[in-house]
Amino acid sequence: MYLVVLLFASALFVSTFALDNGLMQTPPMGWLAWERFRCDIDCEHDPKNCISENLFTDMADRLYEDGWMDLGYVYVNIDDCWSSMQRDGKGRLQPDPKRFPGGIRRLARYMHDRGLKLGIYGDMGTHTCGGYPGSPLDKIEIDAQTFADWEVDMLKFDGCYSNTTEQEQGYPLMSKALNATGRPIGYSCSWPAYQGGLPPKVNYTQLGLICNLWRNYGDIQDSWDSVLTIVDWFFENQDALAPAAGPGRWNDPDMLIVGDFGLSMDQSRSQMALWAIMAAPLFMSNDLRTISSGARGILQNKMAISINQDPMGIQGRRIVKEKSGIDVFLRPLSNNASALVFFSRRNDMPYRYQTSLRKLNYPTGSYNIIDVFTEKTMTLKDSTDFVVSVNPTGVVMWYVSAPAKMGLHYFFRGGHHHGSSYDKDDENSLPQLFL
Ligand SMILES: *[C@@H]1O[C@H](CO)[C@@H](O)[C@H](O)[C@H]1NC(C)=O
Ligand SMILES: *[C@@H]1O[C@H](CO)[C@@H](O)[C@H](O)[C@H]1NC(C)=O
Ligand SMILES: *[C@@H]1O[C@H](CO)[C@@H](O)[C@H](O)[C@H]1NC(C)=O
């Protein structure tokens, strides 16, 4: 298992370099306004959807009452367009008084009363991307203190209207300023996305020291095309990106759009599965008041979440890219387990992909498999060829337990099994898994 050992070793090596605020030892989870609600400030005509305190308390109520919070979705995050166009008399940022009449501190209390957390948005340039006041170098300290005074729990720090030199100074400076407030505030840096996302322009060792998570690449949009572009970029650059991730420091491929308008159910499972493989932050950007039960089931899938939240924090990789259009991804998990994703780029019909765990570099042994989305279980020897049927633009996702010793496996064969067992190498008909 050369690959897994290598990944594990590199994770151990870099794990000493992490932002020292103790936060986000597993990828943060919650809800973020941007993709779904953008800069809708028209509360007069669109009161349910405009960026206002009501939108965030509505989402908090849903997280609290509909089981999301108990699964780990605790952050309720404001994005751009929350602030007034003017700073207050003391030079501090202030929320738009019409849309946030109670102020940010009261909104933070609303979250904390329910066990949730509040995130806010800033920008290290002269203006935010939406044209609101930014936090350039001479405003960073006062803005960090303002966020801490409001009892905010996370900051997304964007980079519009700043240049390379300013970013080199501003992102570390904000990290210091947040630390100096004494309040642990999760820190999301958009910096690498403004520098192309790759070394040598981006120094991931440094990012791990100053940020808890960072946006490497462009914004997600509500389409499968956008998800696929992001997935391709992250896995094509996995050698540069995966070693940067670990407890307290995460690559961020951007929000989950599951529950919006752009993805089919299969594509929604693909996004959830691949974000779990990537150890990505899970910030949903959708309308939790009207989400379909299908999308909810995918986002609330406990096994996908536990794979995403694995405490070792190793970012998974693509290990196979077939000419047929099937990709296989693997993420090493704690207790010698792993997650596998079989993904189809095809657009014709369910594709019957044949392989074996041995071909995927698994060591000799017998493995218990749980299909993450069907919850079916089975036992599989490394040498046994199997077939998975992968829907167009869809996935099959497995949780693969630690290998049992062969002797032990045969011992247990007489005992209690859930699901079926395939352990004859010379079968004429291959196991048809979960069809
Ligand atoms: C600030 O940094 C110090 C040293 O790295 C660390 O011990 C402390 O916990 C940090 N405090 C906060 C609030 O992040
Ligand atoms: C970046 O902006 C600053 C002003 O804040 C300016 O002095 C500097 O020349 C700019 N640097 C580059 C590389 O454009
Ligand atoms: C990257 O950042 C680290 C930590 O700040 C530093 O030690 C290292 O020299 C930097 N690497 C490069 C290539 O600049």
Side-chain angles (χ1 to χ4, degrees):
M1 194 79 243
Y2 173 72
L3 177 73
V4 169
V5 169
L6 193 73
L7 285 173
F8 185 57
S10 64
L12 281 182
F13 174 68
V14 280
S15 65
T16 44
F17 305 103
L19 176 57
D20 202 3
N21 61 8
L23 297 174
M24 302 180 174
Q25 295 300 296
T26 62
M29 297 172 63
W31 185 91
L32 175 59
W34 184 257
E35 197 294 313
R36 179 63 181 78
F37 295 96
R38 307 281 170 147
C39 195
D40 178 354
I41 56 170
D42 189 358
C43 292
E44 192 187 332
H45 299 105
D46 199 10
K48 291 293 271 185
N49 300 306
C50 66
I51 301 300
S52 71
E53 61 184 29
N54 293 336
L55 181 67
F56 297 97
T57 55
D58 274 3
M59 293 307 152
D61 293 347
R62 299 279 53 81
L63 290 173
Y64 183 65
E65 290 168 26
D66 298 345
W68 301 99
M69 188 180 96
D70 297 333
L71 291 165
Y73 291 100
V74 296
Y75 285 93
V76 182
N77 287 7
I78 301 171
D79 205 277
D80 203 349
C81 308
W82 61 270
S83 83
S84 164
M85 282 297 181
Q86 272 87 41
R87 288 175 177 264
D88 73 8
K90 292 179 173 159
R92 296 173 301 196
L93 291 171
Q94 54 184 346
D96 181 279
K98 281 220 181 73
R99 293 182 286 117
F100 293 85
I104 304 297
R105 186 167 185 165
R106 198 176 78 179
L107 197 54
R109 294 243 167 98
Y110 190 93
M111 303 308 160
H112 299 158
D113 286 347
R114 287 157 182 77
L116 297 165
K117 294 170 185 288
L118 183 71
I120 203 161
Y121 169 101
D123 186 292
M124 87 123 304
T126 52
H127 296 85
T128 71
C129 301
Y132 291 80
S135 307
L137 296 172
D138 61 338
K139 294 288 193 297
I140 281 179
E141 279 174 23
I142 188 176
D143 291 351
Q145 191 57 53
T146 304
F147 298 146
D149 292 344
W150 288 341
E151 297 174 11
V152 158
D153 304 292
M154 178 172 169
L155 170 66
K156 172 178 171 182
F157 207 35
D158 213 338
C160 281
Y161 303 106
S162 66
N163 68 32
T164 304
T165 318
E166 292 163 327
Q167 288 167 14
E168 276 166 9
Q169 297 173 342
Y171 280 98
L173 195 61
M174 179 56 91
S175 184
K176 261 196 187 159
L178 291 172
N179 178 278
T181 68
R183 181 175 178 81
I185 297 179
Y187 184 33
S188 167
C189 300
S190 301
W191 186 13
Y194 285 88
Q195 296 299 330
L198 295 173
K201 280 189 108 179
V202 175
N203 181 339
Y204 279 107
T205 308
Q206 183 190 13
L207 277 168
L209 287 166
I210 65 165
C211 314
N212 293 112
L213 61 156
W214 46 80
R215 284 283 311 285
N216 316 66
Y217 192 65
D219 285 1
I220 200 163
Q221 311 292 340
D222 192 4
S223 74
W224 174 243
D225 204 40
S226 171
V227 172
L228 192 56
T229 304
I230 289 170
V231 164
D232 282 340
W233 188 85
F234 274 81
F235 288 103
E236 270 150 31
N237 296 300
Q238 61 186 0
D239 291 343
L241 303 177
R249 50 196 168 80
W250 309 103
N251 293 301
D252 181 5
D254 211 4
M255 294 157 273
L256 292 165
I257 57 164
V258 176
D260 294 322
F261 309 101
L263 303 187
S264 71
M265 282 297 122
D266 274 294
Q267 292 162 350
S268 300
R269 281 185 281 271
S270 294
Q271 195 192 16
M272 188 69 184
L274 293 170
W275 263 235
I277 287 288
M278 284 191 276
L282 299 180
F283 288 108
M284 307 179 281
S285 192
N286 51 18
D287 191 341
L288 297 172
R289 299 167 299 198
T290 57
I291 191 168
S292 72
S293 61
R296 180 196 315 239
I298 291 166
L299 292 164
Q300 296 196 343
N301 184 294
K302 284 188 180 149
M303 190 157 285
I305 291 171
S306 82
I307 289 168
N308 173 269
Q309 296 286 298
D310 186 80
M312 287 205 305
I314 297 176
Q315 180 171 332
R317 294 177 185 240
R318 179 163 58 198
I319 57 168
V320 174
K321 193 173 191 322
E322 302 278 10
K323 283 201 195 77
S324 62
I326 300 295
D327 290 0
V328 185
F329 303 86
L330 183 149
R331 179 173 174 190
L333 304 173
S334 34
N335 303 317
N336 270 321
S338 55
L340 276 178
V341 167
F342 305 93
F343 167 61
S344 172
R345 304 169 168 279
R346 297 175 68 94
N347 51 24
D348 50 357
M349 61 186 281
Y351 186 80
R352 295 163 49 77
Y353 179 64
Q354 179 179 332
T355 187
S356 69
L357 292 177
R358 181 177 290 172
K359 284 177 195 147
L360 300 174
N361 281 331
Y362 277 75
T364 303
S366 176
Y367 295 82
N368 291 318
I369 312 276
I370 307 174
D371 184 296
V372 169
F373 292 111
T374 67
E375 296 179 4
K376 289 184 183 162
T377 65
M378 67 177 312
T379 304
L380 201 56
K381 253 170 59 175
D382 64 288
S383 54
T384 308
D385 263 20
F386 60 82
V387 169
V388 281
S389 176
V390 193
N391 292 347
T393 64
V395 288
V396 169
M397 184 178 204
W398 286 1
Y399 175 85
V400 184
S401 71
K405 291 243 160 46
M406 296 308 282
L408 212 56
H409 168 70
Y410 285 110
F411 176 75
F412 279 120
R413 269 189 73 197
H416 305 286
H417 258 304
H418 301 287
S420 43
S421 171
Y422 298 100
D423 40 22
K424 289 196 259 37
D425 280 336
D426 57 347
E427 276 169 314
N428 290 325
S429 63
L430 297 165
Q432 309 285 304
L433 302 193
F434 316 136
L435 300 183

